[in-house]
Each structure stands twice: as C-alpha cells, then as structure tokens.
Amino acid sequence: MNKPPSRTIIHAGHMLDVKSGRIIDNPTVVIDGDKITSVGQATAGNATLINLPNATLVPGLIDAHTHLTGEPNFGYQELGISTPMEALIGAKNARVTLEAGFTTVRNVGAGGFTDVALRDAIDQALVPGPRMLVSGPPLGITGGHCDNNLLPYEYHREADGVADGVEGVQHKVREVIKYGADLIKICATGGVLSKGDDPRASQYTLEEMKAIVADAHRLGRKVAAHAHGAQGILWASEAGVDSIEHGSYMDDAAISMMKSKGTYLVPTLYLTQWLQENMTRIGMPEMYAAKERAIIPIVRQNLKKAFDAGVKVAFGTDAAVYPHGLNAHEFAMYVQLGMSPVQAIQTATVNAADLLGWSDRIGSIDSGKYADIIAVNGDPTKDVTVLQSPVFVMKGGVVYKGAASHW
C-alpha cells in the first residue's frame, strides 16, 4: 500500500538548498524508488509526475526529541495508560507527526519498549509514520526524574530504566540495547513533569555517566541526556554525551564544556509557551506547574546565551508535553532568540541529521539520499511559520499528504 512508484519526478516553483540557504527556482527532483537520483534535471522515461508550481520544496524535517507514544496526560492519570494502549497512541501520533512534515524523529523515552514496536511497525509498513531512532526506557536514578514516583512504597514500583551505580548502569545500557534501542537516553538531572525532584539538581554522578557513555559508544549507540541543571549539563557533557536535552539552567561553564566537547543542544522551547498558555486549562498538577513557572523566566535567556556562544543546536520539541503535530511551532522560538530563518531550518535538517548520525541519508534534497521531501506555500527563509502548514509530504518516495497521496 505504501510501496513507492518506480520513478517519480517532482516539478516545483522553488526549492530550499538547506546547506547554502539559497532558494532555487523551478527545480526538478528525480526519484527512483525511495531515493533521490538527481536534482535539477529530468530524465526520459515513464514516471509519476508531481507538479507543485506554487510551492517551495524543503527536506523532510527532523525532530530530535519526541515521545510519540505519549500524550499531554499529567499526574496520576498517567497510571491508567497500559503498555498496549501506549503503543496504540504511538501509532496515532506517528501519522500526525508525519503529516506535519516530520519524516524522521528521535524518540527519547517510552514505556515497555513501545517505541521499538512502533519503529518496527513503521519499517514494516504496518502503520504510517516517520523514520524513528528510539531509546526505549530512559535510564534514571532511583527516585529521579525517569523513575515512577506517583505510587506509594507498598506498590514497590519503579520504572523500566532505573539503574544505580557503575555496574547497574552498564547492565541497563546493555539491556535496553538487547531489546532494540538505537540510542541511550539518560536523566542527568531532575525534571519538571515528575514528582519530588528538582530540575536544578544533578542525579547521575560523573562516574556513572562516563560508564554509560563508554558502553553506549562502544556498542555503536549515541547518548542523549535530559539535563536542566547547570552541574548536570556540565558533567554530562564532560562524560561525552552526544546531546543535552532542554538545558534550562545552563551557565557559562556548562556552555564552555559543551562547546569544547562538540555537544549538541536540543532546546525544546515551544513547550514553555504552550504550557504557559494552557497549564490551567489542562489541569496540570501544582507539583508540576510550580516547577514550570520557575523555569519559564530563565530558560530563554540561558538558551539565547548558548545560541550566541555558537553551541551546536539540533531541533527538538518534546512533543507529548503538548499535542503532537504542532512540532513546527518550535522554529519561530529559535528565530525569536536570534537565529535567522535559515539557521532555524538547518537545526531540523543538516544539524539534526548530523546528531542522529544519518547525514548520508537524510537532511537535504540531494542525490543518493532518501526521498524525504515536504512542500510549503511561501518562502520559509523569510517566514518560518509557513512550515507549520505543509501542503505536501513525501517519505521514501511515497506521498502521504497532498498531490494524490498513495497511502
């Protein structure tokens, strides 16, 4: 049902070359199967023709921080969601995310390895969705942000990824890889949407994080570190993690360490605006709302400092904290903090592809790469908000939105 046609030719009004930032007029993209074979000239032969004369082609977008199997369900209502239901929720959100123009995601945290199942179902064409790199359960300390702290002691319940001590974290890294993880997600500090912890407090020790990174990298997996507090950011970067997620309380020392190590920052900024506007309406528990209110005034100024310092940035949203499909609202936040529209788009294309280790297959419209292409009305280099409403979405040569989609 979603097998790509043998050859497809796309004619469009414009195309964004994300590497140079130039808009190219009247491009032609030739696709054989699921790969792009040429850009700029058509070749003879039978082909499916797609004409988008008023649109601008952009590479399929990449979100490096999603939770497709989650929803904005906060507090004790989370306990009512079973593992099978989480997987089904993921199938719904995968389609919503793909139709929003995000053809690749890095899923950083899911219960019961539901993201592994979702990734495999998408790869087997059982459900539509983006390409996925998945972490399975995130690693965290006992009682920390990635533990299950909502139930009282007599239930003796802890989250799947809980591990303490060097030997404990080494075992957990190997276990989640055994069950299908493409990367390792750790909680280096406390968080906002968790009971009883402080986002500013570091959780894993430097030695524990060094052990995690050593095993993960030796086994060919990258490491993403949830980190709000400055010390946790510093230690995680020193330990060699590949990305810092959120970064809310980062200071000059943490920024300097990230730059020296080449660590990516994945900002997840739009969620602060969405929650500020909606936390009362959705009934966010006060134990979470108080922490969110404390972060909102400082996160933008700290991340702007990181942007201005030249820290590498990859696009990420934390979709599931707010409704899936709104991912592209993140671009405007980066522009507000001083990025040009092209730089903002690069965070979700060439930069994110580099973070994922997939620069050879996604992130730009180039010969040899997957035919992951979206189209928007207007010029995204002048107005990034046009990316919120793609009129055409193709992944791997299959059209999922617009132009007589094949799904």
Side-chain angles (χ1 to χ4, degrees):
M1 182 160 49
N2 67 345
K3 182 179 179 181
S6 57
R7 169 162 289 190
T8 303
I9 296 175
I10 302 175
H11 297 295
H14 313 281
M15 182 181 78
L16 173 60
D17 178 344
V18 289
K19 294 177 181 176
S20 68
R22 293 187 304 111
I23 292 288
I24 297 168
D25 293 331
N26 302 311
T28 298
V29 182
V30 181
I31 298 154
D32 283 303
D34 62 353
K35 299 284 181 62
I36 298 167
T37 53
S38 72
V39 180
Q41 58 183 16
T43 56
N46 294 328
T48 298
L49 299 176
I50 297 174
N51 287 302
L52 300 166
N54 301 314
T56 301
L57 302 182
V58 178
L61 301 172
I62 305 164
D63 189 334
H65 191 121
T66 66
H67 301 279
L68 291 189
T69 64
E71 296 271 53
N73 294 314
F74 303 121
Y76 291 92
Q77 62 182 312
E78 297 173 53
L79 298 174
I81 300 170
S82 66
T83 297
M85 178 56 76
E86 188 175 335
L88 291 168
I89 289 169
K92 171 185 74 76
N93 292 332
R95 180 165 193 159
V96 169
T97 302
L98 178 59
E99 291 180 350
F102 287 81
T103 54
T104 301
V105 303
R106 191 180 64 156
N107 206 78
V108 284
F113 294 91
T114 50
D115 55 352
V116 172
L118 179 60
R119 175 201 65 198
D120 294 347
I122 292 169
D123 288 348
Q124 295 169 35
L126 300 179
V127 296
R131 305 179 193 285
M132 294 183 68
L133 283 170
V134 305
S135 72
L139 274 62
I141 68 168
T142 298
H145 176 62
C146 289
D147 199 356
N148 183 338
N149 298 332
L150 293 174
L151 289 168
Y153 165 77
E154 55 264 32
Y155 286 88
H156 298 286
R157 177 72 176 95
E158 65 179 25
D160 297 332
V162 169
D164 300 300
V166 169
E167 289 187 5
V169 297
Q170 287 175 326
H171 174 78
K172 188 60 68 172
V173 167
R174 297 167 190 178
E175 180 180 85
V176 297
I177 290 172
K178 172 183 178 180
Y179 291 113
D182 300 305
L183 69 142
I184 303 301
K185 162 76 177 294
I186 68 171
C187 290
T189 75
V192 175
L193 302 178
S194 48
K195 181 182 177 182
D197 61 336
D198 184 345
R200 295 165 295 184
S202 55
Q203 295 194 344
Y204 274 128
T205 65
L206 177 58
E207 290 71 26
E208 287 169 322
M209 288 192 282
K210 283 182 175 178
I212 289 167
V213 171
D215 258 32
H217 285 179
R218 182 172 50 79
L219 295 171
R221 269 66 170 185
K222 295 193 175 190
V223 181
H226 160 104
H228 286 288
Q231 184 183 63
I233 296 167
L234 181 74
W235 282 356
S237 301
E238 182 179 348
V241 303
D242 299 279
S243 63
I244 295 293
E245 317 296 304
H246 315 304
S248 306
Y249 290 100
M250 65 170 54
D251 59 12
D252 291 342
I255 290 170
S256 178
M257 180 64 74
M258 289 182 70
K259 284 200 69 178
S260 71
K261 293 287 189 176
T263 313
Y264 268 97
L265 170 64
V266 181
T268 69
L269 268 167
Y270 177 66
L271 68 86
T272 60
Q273 178 179 317
W274 192 89
L275 287 176
Q276 188 173 25
E277 295 170 352
N278 292 279
M279 66 171 68
T280 300
R281 180 183 62 82
I282 63 177
M284 176 181 277
E286 180 57 25
M287 61 184 174
Y288 299 166
K291 291 193 278 186
E292 183 63 31
R293 286 193 297 268
I295 276 183
I296 287 171
I298 58 91
V299 62
R300 295 187 191 184
Q301 65 189 42
N302 289 340
L303 295 191
K304 178 172 173 50
K305 188 183 294 186
F307 289 3
D308 292 344
V311 170
K312 296 193 294 187
V313 178
F315 184 100
T317 66
D318 215 359
V321 174
Y322 62 87
H324 297 271
L326 302 180
N327 312 58
H329 286 68
E330 184 83 10
F331 289 109
M333 306 297 291
Y334 298 174
V335 172
Q336 289 172 21
L337 293 190
M339 284 191 190
S340 70
V342 168
Q343 288 173 325
I345 295 167
Q346 287 171 336
T347 69
T349 51
V350 289
N351 292 15
D354 179 54
L355 171 58
L356 271 57
W358 280 6
S359 294
D360 60 336
R361 62 192 84 175
I362 59 173
S364 61
I365 302 175
D366 284 317
S367 180
K369 295 194 176 181
Y370 282 119
D372 294 355
I373 300 168
I374 70 170
V376 296
N377 288 327
D379 183 349
T381 69
K382 293 184 171 63
D383 179 8
V384 290
T385 66
V386 301
L387 295 167
Q388 296 171 17
S389 304
V391 296
F392 171 84
V393 176
M394 169 184 279
K395 176 197 150 200
V398 176
V399 180
Y400 289 89
K401 183 177 184 179
S405 60
H406 299 295
W407 182 261

